[in-house]
Every structure is written in C-alpha cells, then in structure tokens.
Amino acid sequence: MSFTKHDVNQRNGRVEVVVDKMFTPDQLKSLSEVEIEDAMDRLLAHDDYIWNREAKVEFPSKFGMAYKLDTLLYMCPKCGALYRHKCEGDRMQCTGCGNTIEMDKTGMIHAVGEGSVCPPLVTDWTLLEREKAARDVRKEGFSYSGHVKVGTLPEHGHLPIGATSIITGEGELTLTAEGLSFEGQLEGAPYSFKLPIASLPTFGMCTDISRFYTFVDGKFLEFYPDNGDALRWDHLTEEMHRAQGGK
C-alpha cells in the first residue's frame, strides 16, 4: 500500500508488523521439507487489500489514487476490453463502455454511476485478468507479440538514479507454447534468442509494472513494451508455463 505495483511514488500510511514463531525445534525435526515449505507458504501469505478492508488505514497519493492504475487493472470487468482505461485523479474509466470505478485513500475500489461494475478488491480484479490469460494460452495456435525496447546493465559503473537498466536495443518479443523468442538488435548488433517455456516460470519486475526482466545465457535483459502491457506479458507467461506442465 505504501509502494504499489502501479505507482512507485511513496504513499505514507501506518504499517503494522506481526512477529510470530513458525516452528518449534521439535516440529522441524518431525516435518519433511515439503511440509515445512507448505506451512511457510500458508503462514507468510498476505494480502494488503484484505487487511486494509478492516484496518481502513489511509495511504493518500499526491497524484491521485488511480494514478497509473490502468497498468495494473488493465481489463475492463464489464466489457472485457484490454488496456482501454483512462485514469484521472481517483477515478478510472473504460473508454470502450464507460464503466467507471473510484479508488479511495484506503485502496478500496467502488463502482461509480449507473451500470458500472467493480470487483470487490483490487486482488479480485487481477485474478479476473489471470483467468483470462489462462484461457487464452490454452487456445490452439496461441501467440502473443509486441515491440519492446531492451535494457541491459553496464559492464562498469552505476546506473542513473531511478534506472534499472540502460536501453541498448529493441525488437519483437513473441510468446507461444514453445516459449519466448526475440528478434532484433542489441548493443549495435543483430540479436535473437529462444527460451523454452519449461525454463521460464515468470518474469522479474525491479520496480513497477512498466517493464520486466529475465536472464538469457546469464545476461540480464529488461523489456520495456511499447504497448505498456507488462503485466499482461507476465500473466500470459506464467499461465503458459503452467499449461505446458511447468512446476
């Protein structure tokens, strides 16, 4: 709630911390590695939106609560259009059907106006997007492509403040059931790669959802999609990995 995935500008509010014991030494001796990992996954699971539905702590944004919210909530819950939202102040509206929602200072979202619909929480909305991605990647002949700029890390020295890579290339990125491929140029020379989907469970995101990264032959590559659809790439890649029998 302080640094959202759609807006990395700090939103000041109260933060609560819970300290507890996961296991006793005797419990650890009696549990398998799988049982320990399953218990940790369950005990560490947390959703700020569920928490703040009850806590009602305000995390105001100086740019408006809906600032860049369309990069996170990219699918209209009413008409299903993708990346058709327009954000202004605390409100976000679909330019396709006019569905309008508002986010209050606690991060809760509400439908605005007659006929508008809104999932209960931001989390529920992103689950709708993931469910669509899961359906899409299972369609025969599925392919998703887009032009991206490519960032790499300098061999020496530091990155500029706020940067996570330096743009050194561009090209076409494509996802299919076989994996992720790229055709273009990097650092002044032609460049391409193919990654099998079995080795690509997800992407990393250094800051917000404006770009994403992976490693190719040990080299850090960060992608900046022209269409601003970084989260859609993430959802599709994760669900394709899952659909193709990934772990």
Side-chain angles (χ1 to χ4, degrees):
M1 306 298 286
S2 298
F3 296 96
T4 71
K5 289 305 290 182
H6 58 93
D7 176 16
V8 294
N9 294 291
Q10 186 169 345
R11 301 180 175 197
N12 295 320
R14 188 180 80 250
V15 176
E16 296 181 357
V17 178
V18 176
V19 180
D20 203 355
K21 182 184 291 184
M22 283 188 172
F23 309 99
T24 66
D26 289 339
Q27 287 174 323
L28 285 176
K29 291 177 183 178
S30 64
L31 295 173
S32 68
E33 288 185 7
V34 172
E35 289 173 326
I36 292 171
E37 185 173 5
D38 287 346
M40 291 177 66
D41 287 344
R42 186 177 67 254
L43 293 169
L44 288 172
H46 177 76
D47 186 321
D48 275 346
Y49 295 99
I50 293 176
W51 166 77
N52 213 28
R53 182 168 53 187
E54 303 299 327
K56 294 181 172 53
V57 178
E58 292 190 353
F59 293 84
S61 167
K62 61 181 178 180
F63 299 109
M65 293 301 292
Y67 180 64
K68 293 187 177 181
L69 186 60
D70 56 325
T71 62
L72 177 66
L73 307 182
Y74 61 79
M75 185 180 80
C76 177
K78 184 176 181 179
C79 72
L82 301 180
Y83 292 98
R84 293 287 301 277
H85 285 128
K86 179 182 178 182
C87 298
E88 187 173 350
D90 298 337
R91 293 190 176 187
M92 183 174 74
Q93 183 178 64
C94 175
T95 59
C97 68
N99 192 69
T100 305
I101 66 101
E102 183 173 84
M103 175 178 279
D104 65 29
K105 289 181 175 56
T106 68
M108 299 300 106
I109 49 178
H110 318 276
V112 177
E114 185 177 354
S116 290
V117 299
C118 181
L121 296 171
V122 167
T123 312
D124 300 310
W125 195 319
T126 60
L127 288 176
L128 293 178
E129 296 168 346
R130 179 175 291 282
E131 289 166 2
K132 174 175 172 51
R135 295 191 301 269
D136 288 348
V137 299
R138 286 169 170 80
K139 295 176 181 176
E140 186 175 353
F142 170 84
S143 179
Y144 191 75
S145 299
H147 185 269
V148 298
K149 293 181 176 63
V150 185
T152 56
L153 298 177
E155 185 175 353
H156 303 290
H158 300 284
L159 288 166
I161 293 176
T164 51
S165 62
I166 302 296
I167 302 297
T168 57
E170 62 178 321
E172 192 78 4
L173 195 65
T174 301
L175 176 72
T176 67
E178 295 181 356
L180 186 75
S181 61
F182 175 84
E183 291 284 344
Q185 59 91 19
L186 189 69
E187 298 171 342
Y191 179 75
S192 65
F193 69 76
K194 291 184 179 179
L195 290 177
I197 196 64
S199 66
L200 191 63
T202 189
F203 292 114
M205 292 184 178
C206 290
T207 53
D208 59 7
I209 45 181
S210 63
R211 64 259 204 195
F212 54 94
Y213 71 85
T214 190
F215 289 86
V216 179
D217 297 326
K219 186 179 183 67
F220 174 89
L221 297 179
E222 191 165 42
F223 305 105
Y224 300 71
D226 288 359
N227 295 330
D229 53 350
L231 189 58
R232 174 80 166 149
W233 275 101
D234 191 62
H235 284 160
L236 290 171
T237 301
E238 290 181 353
E239 293 307 323
M240 181 63 85
H241 178 81
R242 194 192 312 272
Q244 297 301 317
K247 294 183 180 180

